[in-house]
């Protein structure tokens, strides 16, 4: 299980640019206009062999300065509560502002590791200007440029040093199925329907569910832990940013799980936050089952289910080999089918293919459709094997692996799925020098 690192700071200091730099991909929209980061962004990062989940805490509300400050304070408080470490981003161009001082005051009260990153430092003059940030009382700072990457290596070196060690999941523990999704999708109602008791309080107020809680469950002769981000919201937190909190909790649940049951609200569709949680589970290499809840509330004709499923699969390309089940926690429609499917996905995730069988099936497929030649050089794959890891990972040995591109990698993945299953499970494929 990896740590959670939150990036905090006032608007327009370059949090999203730094986020993109650290996860080495452009997922967050970066723009010079304050307020463009409405949705939060979540990604996996790796530095010096240490993995962690990264959260960009954008999503502040457009409005008066007072609303800005309130929203930023909420997110910083949540980050302090939920994250294992915090990167506080400030802007050397504007210097220390009142809002920076407010955030720093909150951060000085925590015992969580806080790294102060002075952004947009790309010349000697700005390096000198950064000295004023000592006044925030957070100790040493790191001068960085999110745009060109300077200083981010030193920041990451320091980050992985302060991240707490996480205990590895013991092998004898039960398989864990995490019920995740945006607020008010029906997660608690789903678990209540499964266990046949009102174990979790269910209301129509988004965000009632608070803390992660496990239910030991046995179905189809298979015992496992069912994990819901459950509990009762404290009254003092009624005005907090529930959407942000929900995702922070989902990150935790996903990190601990083997299979994620992603509940979406059929009356709202497969929205941006649902997609964020889906890709977070995929990046963590967890098994995934998508449950379209409240299907009883949707007006249907003969093609409604097919069209709804088609839209979801289009959105999650290229990883489309995912079970999608239409359920109703209220009427208990197909809720046991959901669990049966989750068990199958768990078994797919732990599936082992004998090396002899893998080569017997895959080498003729590759010989019939070899990788495209590159500058007159022909690529030959001679051997393949499954790696001894918790999730399906395969390595193919070739004479020129550096010339194999992503489209061919997807072709091989599709053939593996076609011949061996792995429905609902992300697959990693590596090509290595023979």
């Amino acid at each position: 299980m990896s740590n959670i690192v939150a990036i905090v700071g006032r608007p327009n200091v370059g949090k999203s640019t730094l986020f993109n730099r650290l996860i080495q991909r452009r997922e967050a929209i970066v723009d010079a206009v304050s307020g463009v980061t409405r949705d939060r962004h979540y990604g996996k990062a790796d530095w010096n062999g240490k993995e962690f989940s990264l959260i960009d805490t954008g999503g502040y509300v457009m409005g008066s300065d007072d609303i800005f400050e309130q929203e930023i304070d909420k997110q910083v408080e949540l980050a302090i509560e939920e994250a294992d470490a915090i990167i506080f981003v400030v802007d050397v161009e504007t210097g220390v502002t009142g809002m920076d001082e407010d955030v720093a005051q909150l951060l000085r009260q925590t015992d969580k590791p806080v790294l102060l990153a002075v952004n947009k430092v790309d010349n000697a003059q700005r390096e000198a200007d950064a000295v004023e940030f000592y006044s925030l009382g957070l100790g040493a700072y790191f001068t960085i440029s999110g745009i060109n990457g300077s200083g981010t290596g030193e920041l990451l070196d320091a980050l992985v040093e302060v991240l707490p060690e996480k205990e590895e999941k013991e092998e004898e523990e039960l398989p864990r199925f995490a019920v995740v999704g945006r607020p008010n999708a029906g997660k608690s109602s789903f678990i209540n329907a499964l266990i046949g008791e009102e174990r979790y309080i269910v209301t129509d107020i988004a965000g009632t569910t608070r803390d992660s809680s496990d239910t030991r469950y046995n179905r189809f002769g298979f015992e496992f832990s069912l994990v819901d981000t459950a509990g009762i919201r404290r009254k003092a937190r009624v005005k907090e940013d529930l959407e942000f909190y929900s995702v922070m909790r989902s990150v935790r649940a996903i990190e601990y799980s083997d299979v994620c049951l992603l509940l979406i609200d059929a009356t709202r569709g497969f929205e941006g936050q649902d997609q964020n949680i889906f890709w977070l589970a995929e990046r963590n290499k967890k098994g995934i089952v998508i449950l379209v809840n409240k299907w009883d509330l949707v007006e249907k004709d003969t093609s409604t289910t097919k069209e709804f499923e088609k839209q979801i699969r289009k959105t999650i390309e290229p990883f489309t080999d995912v079970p999608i089940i239409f359920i109703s926690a209220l009427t208990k429609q197909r809720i046991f089918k959901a669990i049966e499917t989750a068990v199958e996905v768990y078994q797919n995730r732990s599936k082992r293919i004998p090396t002899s069988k893998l080569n017997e099936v895959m080498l003729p497929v590759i010989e019939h459709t070899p990788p495209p030649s590159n500058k007159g050089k022909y690529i030959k794959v001679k051997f393949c094997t499954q790696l001894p890891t918790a999730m399906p990972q395969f390595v193919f040995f070739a004479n020129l692996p550096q010339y194999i591109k992503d489209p061919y990698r997807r072709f091989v993945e599709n053939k593996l799925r076609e011949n061996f299953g792995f429905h609902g499970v992300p697959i990693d494929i590596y090509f290595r020098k023979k």
Side-chain angles (χ1 to χ4, degrees):
M1 186 195 138
S2 61
N3 297 99
I4 295 178
V5 178
I7 301 176
V8 304
R10 62 181 173 80
N12 213 23
V13 293
K15 298 191 301 296
S16 295
T17 304
L18 177 62
F19 170 86
N20 289 330
R21 173 66 59 179
L22 296 186
I23 67 167
Q24 298 181 329
R25 62 180 82 177
R26 294 186 61 84
E27 291 183 354
I29 297 171
V30 181
D31 196 293
V33 180
S34 294
V36 76
T37 309
R38 297 274 176 78
D39 294 323
R40 289 92 192 174
H41 304 282
Y42 322 95
K44 292 290 288 185
D46 181 289
W47 189 255
N48 292 343
K50 193 159 188 174
E51 274 196 347
F52 51 93
S53 292
L54 200 65
I55 299 180
D56 168 20
T57 62
Y60 45 82
V61 173
M62 293 293 288
S64 70
D65 288 342
D66 287 341
I67 293 178
F68 267 151
E69 292 176 22
Q70 291 168 15
E71 291 300 314
I72 292 165
D73 284 354
K74 287 177 192 175
Q75 293 201 22
V76 173
E77 287 168 4
L78 290 170
I80 289 170
E81 187 174 346
E82 287 299 307
D84 297 297
I86 299 152
I87 298 174
F88 175 26
V89 184
V90 292
D91 182 352
V92 75
E93 288 184 350
T94 58
V96 177
T97 69
M99 225 180 275
D100 292 329
E101 291 173 342
D102 290 342
V103 174
Q105 184 176 353
L106 289 169
L107 293 174
R108 285 196 298 269
Q109 298 168 16
T110 182
D111 57 0
K112 302 282 180 73
V114 177
L115 284 75
L116 177 60
V118 184
N119 196 19
K120 307 180 186 178
V121 179
D122 48 20
N123 59 48
Q125 179 58 52
R126 291 185 171 183
E127 189 82 38
D129 292 342
V131 173
E132 72 168 298
F133 288 96
Y134 274 120
S135 68
L136 293 176
L138 294 170
Y141 56 81
F142 297 85
T143 54
I144 65 167
S145 172
I147 290 179
N148 64 35
S150 66
T152 54
E154 291 80 359
L155 175 65
L156 286 168
D157 284 341
L159 176 64
V160 297
E161 283 294 320
V162 299
L163 287 176
E165 291 296 325
K166 291 288 184 179
E167 293 183 9
E168 292 296 324
K169 185 177 71 171
E170 296 179 6
E171 289 185 5
E172 64 268 25
E173 285 186 1
L174 291 175
R176 294 169 65 92
F177 295 173
V179 182
V180 296
R182 63 180 305 149
N184 211 24
K187 300 185 292 295
S188 294
S189 297
F190 173 69
I191 291 187
N192 287 342
L194 281 173
I195 65 178
E197 59 183 84
E198 294 299 310
R199 172 155 185 162
Y200 302 118
I201 292 178
V202 181
T203 74
D204 58 0
I205 302 171
T208 301
T209 299
R210 292 279 313 185
D211 301 311
S212 182
S213 181
D214 288 12
T215 299
R216 198 179 181 97
Y217 197 88
N218 193 306
R219 188 76 184 177
F220 312 111
F222 185 86
E223 193 169 11
F224 55 91
S225 286
L226 204 56
V227 185
D228 180 25
T229 46
I232 304 171
R233 182 178 51 180
R234 293 188 295 275
K235 288 182 180 179
R237 295 288 190 178
V238 167
K239 295 181 180 178
E240 73 190 4
D241 189 326
L242 294 166
E243 193 83 357
F244 180 47
Y245 200 100
S246 170
V247 174
M248 294 286 275
R249 286 297 188 189
S250 294
V251 172
R252 290 288 188 201
I254 288 168
E255 292 280 2
Y256 274 111
S257 72
D258 297 298
V259 177
C260 295
L261 299 167
L262 172 56
L263 259 75
I264 69 172
D265 185 336
T267 64
R268 300 180 65 169
F270 194 55
E271 297 183 316
Q273 201 68 282
D274 303 313
Q275 295 164 32
N276 277 331
I277 296 172
F278 174 87
W279 289 115
L280 189 62
E282 188 274 338
R283 282 186 219 110
N284 277 276
K285 306 302 177 186
K286 306 299 184 180
I288 303 173
V289 180
I290 296 175
L291 305 181
V292 184
N293 192 26
K294 307 182 186 180
W295 195 237
D296 54 311
L297 302 180
V298 175
E299 291 188 16
K300 295 176 279 290
D301 57 32
T302 54
S303 63
T304 305
T305 303
K306 186 176 180 180
E307 287 301 315
F308 204 107
E309 182 175 333
K310 181 180 177 182
Q311 181 269 325
I312 293 176
R313 294 199 188 281
K314 178 70 176 173
T315 305
I316 63 176
E317 288 179 345
F319 180 37
T320 58
D321 188 21
V322 177
I324 299 174
I325 302 173
F326 295 82
I327 70 166
S328 169
L330 183 66
T331 67
K332 300 190 177 183
Q333 180 184 25
R334 283 188 286 275
I335 61 170
F336 296 114
K337 174 66 175 175
I339 292 300
E340 184 180 12
T341 304
V343 171
E344 291 170 359
V345 168
Y346 173 80
Q347 292 169 341
N348 287 341
R349 188 171 183 262
S350 53
K351 184 185 297 183
R352 299 287 307 168
I353 310 301
T355 300
S356 58
K357 181 67 175 178
L358 189 64
N359 282 270
E360 179 187 324
V361 172
M362 293 304 296
L363 291 186
V365 168
I366 292 172
E367 187 176 351
H368 183 266
T369 309
S373 61
N374 188 291
K375 299 177 182 177
K377 297 178 179 179
Y378 292 91
I379 303 165
K380 295 182 180 179
V381 178
K382 294 295 186 181
F383 181 73
C384 56
T385 188
Q386 184 174 357
L387 297 174
T389 51
M391 69 286 292
Q393 295 183 316
F394 298 87
V395 60
F396 291 76
F397 293 95
N399 60 334
L400 299 166
Q402 67 271 27
Y403 294 133
I404 297 176
K405 306 300 181 187
D406 283 343
Y408 193 77
R409 198 181 303 270
R410 285 194 290 272
F411 165 77
V412 172
E413 178 182 335
N414 289 337
K415 289 300 179 181
L416 280 168
R417 293 184 183 281
E418 184 180 307
N419 286 282
F420 299 111
F422 299 108
H423 190 41
V425 182
I427 295 176
D428 280 337
I429 295 173
Y430 305 98
F431 288 91
R432 296 287 184 261
K433 183 75 175 175
K434 183 176 179 299

